[in-house]
Amino acid sequence: MHERTRAEWRATRQRAAVLRALHLHDTFVSAQSLHAALAADGVTVGLTTVYRTLRLLAASGHVDVVRDSAGERLYRPRPDDGHRHYAVCRECGLSLAVDSDEVERWVARIARDIGFHAVDHTVELTGLCERCRPPMSRPAAGPPARRRTPSAG
Amino acid sequence: MHERTRAEWRATRQRAAVLRALHLHDTFVSAQSLHAALAADGVTVGLTTVYRTLRLLAASGHVDVVRDSAGERLYRPRPDDGHRHYAVCRECGLSLAVDSDEVERWVARIARDIGFHAVDHTVELTGLCERCRPPMSRPAAGPPARRRTPSAG
DNA sequence: CAGCATAAGACAACGGTTTTCATTTGCGGT
DNA sequence: ACCGCAAATGAAAACCGTTGTCTTATGCTG
Ligand SMILES: [Mn+2]
Ligand SMILES: [Mn+2]
Ligand SMILES: [Zn+2]
Ligand SMILES: [Zn+2]
């Protein structure tokens, strides 16, 4: 069986565009908002292609994925040194990578204790960032950044 | 303005049925499988009502909710002493409540460190339970319990 | 440059969940 | 016991993110 060298990642204009757009964001973004952002920049990429590319990037570990409260998938480029966990502001979408060493160890210990193999974990924090601090008994004065979710704008 | 006493939870046959069905399971169940289970028992409850009831139970903290890899919501009665986190076997659906004190403390500390308020958290473990231990280099001999997901049977 | 496997794109389909709206029903007041 | 009404139900349609299908376009390798 002649196993010839096959390229497994074809460089296309669309993939480059998705990757570029992804890195322009400092927060988690949905496939749809990424597609919208590209369109706004005059870059035509099919929504299907955006989904496919993000799925590939997630599978190959190049992006981290979380699901918002509505179940929509949000993507963010993964730092070079492995996966991270994030705290996301539910008001403005700000996301901070948090130090999770302690949780990683906890996961490993629990997995061992209960005899589970190949344990994967999901750890997400959602809250209100300092800027979006809740209006204490003053409904009128709204928070500064009034963006609901990093998803469908 | 006459503020009369309003009942906020009306006892109906359907709600009782959903609650009862929910407690019969020892694992997380989806709205749809719960609905199917009810139908199989000859109990007629609209799927819409099942969804609505579960949503209420979740909002009022009577059930814990997780989302499977497909995004489907799975429900489980919450123990009396507060919320729990679970390890779920991705092969047979077995779910174990795990001791999460350490994570709870970690969450509180992180929240304080980064200045987030009203922090909520999601912590889920998925893996293979002891019974579903991976077939080591033997694709033929399948695992014992061959149920994919506690959801749509 | 040719050949071909891979990718793109438009559109339909999918699946879980929510909305709508007409009808029923629990429940407090009498 | 009966009324009256707000709340709940249920069937069907709408919703929405995502994936499948299938035809066309295009990298890549020889
Ligand atoms: Mn981790
Ligand atoms: Mn917790
Ligand atoms: Zn914020
Ligand atoms: Zn198992």
Side-chain angles (χ1 to χ4, degrees):
Chain A
M1 42 193 76
H2 291 259
E3 192 58 39
R4 69 187 62 182
T5 45
R6 271 181 300 154
E8 54 209 31
W9 178 270
R10 223 139 87 168
T12 67
R13 171 183 66 79
Q14 293 87 340
R15 285 175 175 176
V18 169
L19 219 37
R20 192 174 338 111
L22 198 54
H23 280 95
L24 287 183
H25 283 77
D26 56 339
T27 66
F28 281 94
V29 279
S30 68
Q32 310 226 44
S33 52
L34 216 51
H35 177 250
L38 286 166
D41 279 1
V43 184
T44 51
V45 178
L47 178 57
T48 307
T49 297
V50 175
Y51 273 114
R52 275 194 289 237
T53 304
L54 288 174
R55 203 184 338 159
L56 282 176
L57 289 172
S60 62
H62 288 93
V63 299
D64 283 322
V65 187
V66 300
R67 306 188 75 118
D68 68 10
S69 53
E72 193 174 15
R73 274 189 266 263
L74 307 178
Y75 305 85
R76 172 176 168 149
R78 172 182 297 184
D80 296 331
D81 54 352
H83 85 203
R84 286 282 176 80
H85 299 281
Y86 301 89
V88 180
C89 175
R90 56 176 154 258
E91 190 64 29
C92 70
L94 169 75
S95 67
L96 270 58
V98 299
D99 177 23
S100 62
D101 293 351
E102 192 174 334
V103 183
E104 305 296 340
R105 284 193 298 271
W106 173 82
V107 169
R109 181 163 50 78
I110 293 290
R112 179 165 43 75
D113 288 355
I114 65 178
F116 267 44
H117 292 254
V119 170
D120 203 353
H121 59 278
T122 301
V123 175
E124 294 168 24
L125 306 185
T126 60
L128 294 169
C129 76
E130 290 186 305
R131 296 196 32 162
C132 296
R133 176 166 301 169
M136 317 229 297
S137 70
R138 185 85 76 79
R146 207 56 116 120
R147 185 154 43 96
R148 297 303 302 176
T149 300
S151 53
Chain B
M1 43 191 71
H2 290 258
E3 193 58 39
R4 70 186 62 182
T5 44
R6 271 181 301 154
E8 55 208 30
W9 177 271
R10 218 136 91 170
T12 67
R13 170 183 67 80
Q14 292 89 338
R15 285 176 174 174
V18 169
L19 218 38
R20 192 176 336 115
L22 197 54
H23 280 95
L24 286 182
H25 284 75
D26 57 341
T27 67
F28 280 95
V29 279
S30 69
Q32 311 225 41
S33 52
L34 216 51
H35 178 248
L38 285 167
D41 279 2
V43 183
T44 51
V45 178
L47 179 57
T48 307
T49 297
V50 174
Y51 273 114
R52 277 194 288 237
T53 303
L54 289 174
R55 191 164 13 134
L56 282 176
L57 289 172
S60 61
H62 288 94
V63 299
D64 284 322
V65 186
V66 301
R67 304 189 75 119
D68 67 12
S69 53
E72 192 175 17
R73 273 190 267 263
L74 308 178
Y75 305 84
R76 174 177 166 149
R78 173 181 297 183
D80 296 331
D81 54 353
H83 84 204
R84 285 285 175 79
H85 299 282
Y86 301 88
V88 179
C89 175
R90 56 175 153 262
E91 189 65 29
C92 70
L94 170 74
S95 67
L96 270 56
V98 300
D99 178 21
S100 61
D101 293 352
E102 193 174 334
V103 183
E104 305 297 339
R105 285 193 297 270
W106 173 83
V107 169
R109 180 162 51 77
I110 293 289
R112 179 165 44 74
D113 288 355
I114 65 180
F116 267 44
H117 292 254
V119 170
D120 203 353
H121 58 278
T122 300
V123 175
E124 293 170 24
L125 306 186
T126 59
L128 294 169
C129 76
E130 290 187 302
R131 295 197 32 161
C132 296
R133 175 168 300 170
M136 319 229 298
S137 69
R138 185 84 75 76
R146 207 55 116 115
R147 184 152 43 95
R148 298 306 299 177
T149 302
S151 52

